[in-house]
Amino acid sequence: MTERAAASGTVHWVGAGLSTGSGLAALSEHADRVRLWHRSEERAADALGRLGLTGRVEPRAHTRDALTAELAPGDIVVSMMPAGEHASLLAACVAKRAHFACSSYVSDGVLEQVPSAVDAGTVVLTEAGLDPGLDHLFAHALVARARAVVGDGTPASYRFTSYCGGIPAVADDFRYRFSWAPLGVLNALRSPARYVEGGTETTAERPWEATRAHRVDGEVFEVYPNRDSMPFVEQYGLPAAWQARTFVRGTLRLGGWRRAWEPVFEELKTGDDTRIAALAHELAVAHPMTDTDRDRVVLAVSLAVRARNGTSWSGSYLLDLVGDAKESAMARCVSRPLALGVRHILDGSLPAGLNRAAGTQQRSRAWLGELARDGVPFTLRVDGPPVSP
């Protein structure tokens, strides 16, 4: 195995969409050089102006060839591009012995390149944003606390839920405004969801049909399962002696969302890829997050364990953040954790090969402490009132 490529100190941030926020500014304070790659150099410069980073980050016009030409061993590429673009960006990193980071789930195209990345000494950091990312950190921290009380080998049952949503701070008739890629929102709804409910593994072919009410801190939201929850039972380190009564990772929406979205669901039932892409554009135009609107991010993760010997434990993390005039809540919650992960590539603490935000329970606790200090507020409740992280 080739030795891990030493970080050069140069970061290439690719894309300046809705999720690019103060994490980019944080990186400009820790890296020797940061470049923002966007559709044109002018657009990159405009984005830097909005972020207050003119003169601190270098604007670049993004093409694959232009980026590859500037990549050097040990550089870090941060992809804010759609998930389908990650594999080709990672291939360029592996070829140049550069490192790669993104906030998305691990795709097959990325997973296939992990052996080559290890051989090249390339760090591949994934699932390091909000969801996935912060949700993983919360889950690992809760599981660690529960294991310490209940014990790995003690027969027990548990209920685990993890719900996240970007929603309007002030409700509108549509019960939603688009604070991230509209097509991504719709395609997530088109994907079957697999989860555990009532002790039985369940699949919802149309996730919105499994919508139910969910109370968080006294407020009632609507939630539904999202994607495949089952691999995360092992990823979160839940003991084999514990049996899941509920295990679901899902999406959170304002109350009344399902009723407001009925016309959208009818389109999702019958529309092909072309129609759904067009629908995403139509909805984004009709329900945008404007400069005067404020978004809100709610991430609620909870775990309750009851052992056969009578021992029980429960805890929950809650992040509830409203955006302001400087930055949306979504941009802060995606870009800050991602920037923290990149800082740990810079300092050499992440190994070559595949890394997720929460690779270990120890890392989860450490990163949560760093994020709390970096301006990502959240609370932890353990069988009672809030306590410090």
Side-chain angles (χ1 to χ4, degrees), residues 173-175 178 186 189 208 256-271 275-276 279-280 282-283 286-287:
D173 290 342
F174 192 55
R175 318 305 284 176
F178 289 92
L186 298 187
L189 284 165
W208 67 86
W257 168 81
R258 183 172 179 179
R259 181 186 296 275
W261 275 52
E262 282 295 345
V264 177
F265 300 147
E266 291 303 314
E267 295 256 26
L268 294 178
K269 291 176 184 177
T270 59
R275 173 55 196 146
I276 299 307
L279 177 63
E282 294 165 12
L283 292 174
H287 308 283

Side-chain angles (χ1 to χ4, degrees), residues 30-370:
H30 291 86
D32 296 333
R33 171 180 289 177
V34 180
R35 296 174 178 137
L36 175 64
W37 297 81
H38 203 21
R39 294 178 182 177
S40 68
E41 187 170 330
E42 181 180 12
R43 288 196 177 190
D46 288 345
L48 292 175
R50 291 194 302 272
L51 293 167
L53 295 175
T54 301
R56 295 168 57 189
V57 175
E58 302 171 15
R60 291 288 192 277
H62 176 241
T63 67
R64 192 60 42 78
D65 289 345
L67 174 62
T68 302
E70 292 205 37
L71 268 185
D75 284 4
I76 304 170
V77 171
V78 181
S79 177
M80 302 300 286
M81 302 292 281
E85 303 287 329
H86 294 337
S88 58
L89 284 171
L90 175 56
C93 290
V94 171
K96 291 294 189 81
R97 298 196 69 220
H99 306 296
F100 175 85
C102 71
S103 62
S104 302
Y105 287 101
V106 181
S107 68
D108 290 341
V110 167
L111 196 59
E112 290 168 359
Q113 297 184 67
V114 170
S116 298
V118 172
D119 290 341
T122 291
V123 176
V124 182
L125 175 63
T126 64
E127 301 182 13
L130 168 62
D131 174 7
L134 275 172
D135 59 339
H136 292 345
L137 296 172
F138 288 169
H140 271 279
L142 290 174
V143 171
R145 289 173 178 269
R147 289 173 63 182
V149 173
V150 177
D152 288 4
T154 304
S157 63
Y158 67 89
R159 299 179 183 277
F160 173 87
T161 60
S162 177
Y163 292 114
C164 183
I167 55 180
V170 178
D172 58 348
D173 290 342
F174 192 55
R175 318 305 284 176
Y176 192 78
R177 289 190 185 276
F178 289 92
S179 57
W180 72 288
L183 185 57
V185 174
L186 298 187
N187 280 336
L189 284 165
R190 298 171 75 196
S191 302
R194 193 163 67 111
Y195 57 103
V196 175
E197 189 62 59
T200 302
E201 185 179 311
T202 304
T203 299
E205 294 298 330
R206 295 170 175 167
W208 67 86
E209 293 180 350
T211 299
R212 65 179 182 82
H214 185 69
R215 186 178 294 274
V216 177
D217 215 24
E219 186 173 356
V220 178
F221 297 92
E222 292 182 356
V223 296
Y224 59 89
N226 186 23
R227 303 179 185 267
D228 187 355
S229 297
M230 301 314 299
F232 296 93
V233 173
E234 179 178 356
Q235 185 174 318
Y236 291 162
L238 285 149
W242 299 3
Q243 298 299 309
R245 296 297 301 163
T246 299
F247 188 94
V248 58
R249 300 176 71 254
T251 300
L252 177 146
R253 294 287 182 253
L254 288 172
W257 168 81
R258 183 172 179 179
R259 181 186 296 275
W261 275 52
E262 282 295 345
V264 177
F265 300 147
E266 291 303 314
E267 295 256 26
L268 294 178
K269 291 176 184 177
T270 59
D272 59 14
D273 289 347
T274 301
R275 173 55 196 146
I276 299 307
L279 177 63
H281 177 72
E282 294 165 12
L283 292 174
V285 171
H287 308 283
M289 188 68 69
T290 70
D291 290 341
T292 57
D293 292 315
R294 297 291 173 258
D295 71 327
R296 178 185 178 193
V297 167
V298 178
L299 170 60
V301 182
S302 64
L303 173 65
V305 184
R306 180 173 296 277
R308 292 181 190 173
N309 64 11
T311 303
S312 64
W313 183 92
S314 64
S316 63
Y317 277 100
L318 174 62
L319 181 153
D320 190 345
L321 182 67
V322 174
D324 56 31
K326 293 182 179 179
E327 179 180 29
S328 72
M330 183 63 68
R332 174 176 288 267
C333 291
V334 173
S335 68
R336 285 281 182 157
L338 183 55
L340 175 61
V342 173
R343 282 162 48 190
H344 285 298
I345 300 177
L346 287 167
D347 69 19
S349 60
L350 292 181
L354 182 63
N355 297 265
R356 293 179 172 88
T360 65
Q361 292 164 352
Q362 292 79 9
R363 184 193 299 169
S364 295
R365 181 164 293 188
W367 284 27
L368 285 176
E370 290 175 288

